[in-house]
Amino acid sequence: MIDHSHDAAAISWVESANGHPDFPVQNLPLGVFSRDGGERRIGVAIGDYILDLADAYEAGLLPWANASAITATTLNRLMGLPAADRLALRHGLFALLTRTENCAEVQPFLHLAQACKMHLPAMIGDYTDFYVGIHHANNVGALFRPDNPLLPNYKYVPIGYHGRASSIRPSGVPLVRPNGQRKAPDADVPVFGPSVRLDYELELGVWIGGGNALGDPIAIADAAQHIAGFCLLNDWSARDFQAWEYQPLGPFLAKNFQSTISPWVITAEALAPYRIAQPARPQGDPAPLPYLFDADDQAHGALGITLTASISTAAMRARGMMPHRLSKGPASNMYWTAAQIVTHHASNGCNLNPGDLLGTGTISAPTSDGYGSLMEQTNGGKAPVDLPSGEARTFLEDGDEILLTATAHAEGFVSIGFGECRAIVLPAR
Ligand code: MN
């Protein structure tokens, strides 16, 4: 629902919020932060600052808020509240941060974001990664299986695999290059050692809000109510390990060594103005089976978000060069909506819990300027990407940093951003 909190004319007394590329007062994303090595607190990003919600609650500024949820050290309880409670929190925060009469009372609980440390927003019980980027599926399928890129189930089943929650880290935590097995096509036996085809994947993360009881599916018409928000997700991938291990059971050690997420939860409520229609399927494609089809989801279930991925090498940073953009494209290049992957996941009775994370899968545009992984950009490592430093990359080298960004935009509304999702590659141990 679009309401007064999305009004493009709204301004905050936190001056840095007005015109802020990520966190104007229309965004109000939730996260978990700490200061000076202190305890973890729930906060909301506003311009260059973070408002400490527990402090604001204890000072009586959010009297209607759920005490145990707002003073917790993760967002799990908040995420598990009914969507109406999250909306009430949004409206309360919007009022606090737009009405100048609140300035004196609220100001002491604002902290410069630069001086704070961000943590994972939730205790992630389970993480599942999907494969809904249709162009990515085509591109990667063609590299792994030239004669048979898209398997026949793709247009009926939102394909996914269970990932590993323990190795998900917030933006800024470096990635250690993984060791593993790889086998060159012409080699008789595999070798074990550091990945030589380390890649990133540009994805959106979907945060589960209210869950479902084991055995109870989530109807497609209700699925959006189970989504608390979204983040950026870099599903780091060792392509050499992946090619050797992925059959017959799918990704395993090629994917679970680490995934990096942006630490702010961009709430479903904040994203209301940026909902767009799910793109029509190409002529001749099957319609979704009835349990995955909802007219309202088809009309509003996609998101008007622009995604980018950039690289900064050690040499580029040493020379003070800006990160180099590798790709830019719309998040609407998804064959299935976020609601459809939630419904599909729970369709067999599998229970989802507040704070579970679903990855969309790599989102690539149809053209190479929007390919969401190096594997696609370099045609499987055959065509290096040239960088402005004079360097070239097929896959990632130690010292490389990948930065993902996302901006939601819609005519008549201010744009809101997701904040950064970045991590630097360290040598293998
Ligand atoms: Mn992935």
Side-chain angles (χ1 to χ4, degrees), residues 129 201 203 235 255:
D129 196 24
E201 290 193 336
E203 306 193 13
D235 177 27
K255 298 279 194 172

Side-chain angles (χ1 to χ4, degrees), residues 267-291:
T267 65
E269 293 74 37
L271 287 167
Y274 316 100
R275 296 199 153 274
I276 56 175
Q278 173 68 357
R281 292 186 163 198
Q283 199 80 35
D285 279 15
L289 292 179
Y291 79 102

Side-chain angles (χ1 to χ4, degrees), residues 127 129-131 136 161 201 203 233 235 237 255 360-362:
Y127 159 55
D129 196 24
F130 283 84
Y131 194 52
H136 172 76
Y161 67 95
E201 290 193 336
E203 306 193 13
L233 169 64
D235 177 27
S237 300
K255 298 279 194 172
T360 55
T362 309

Side-chain angles (χ1 to χ4, degrees), residues 137-262:
N138 265 318
N139 293 339
V140 171
L143 289 166
F144 279 117
R145 294 175 304 274
D147 333 328
N148 193 15
L150 216 54
L151 296 172
N153 55 5
Y154 189 86
K155 292 180 176 177
Y156 291 94
V157 180
I159 301 293
Y161 67 95
H162 284 118
R164 182 86 193 163
S166 68
S167 53
I168 298 175
R169 291 293 179 274
S171 179
V173 175
L175 163 81
V176 175
R177 180 180 299 272
N179 286 298
Q181 281 196 29
R182 63 177 190 275
K183 190 183 89 63
D186 53 352
D188 291 332
V189 291
V191 294
F192 181 86
S195 173
V196 295
R197 287 163 75 89
L198 180 63
D199 200 354
Y200 69 93
E201 290 193 336
L202 171 54
E203 306 193 13
L204 283 177
V206 179
W207 290 105
I208 296 298
N212 59 306
L214 183 64
D216 288 349
I218 295 173
I220 184 68
D222 301 334
Q225 293 293 310
H226 291 262
I227 297 173
F230 293 80
C231 65
L232 280 159
L233 169 64
N234 182 346
D235 177 27
W236 303 98
S237 300
R239 301 300 181 193
D240 38 2
F241 308 167
Q242 187 179 358
W244 173 231
E245 76 170 9
Y246 88 107
Q247 287 177 322
L249 287 185
F252 183 37
L253 301 182
K255 298 279 194 172
N256 71 0
F257 51 92
Q258 189 161 324
S259 305
T260 303
I261 60 171
S262 56

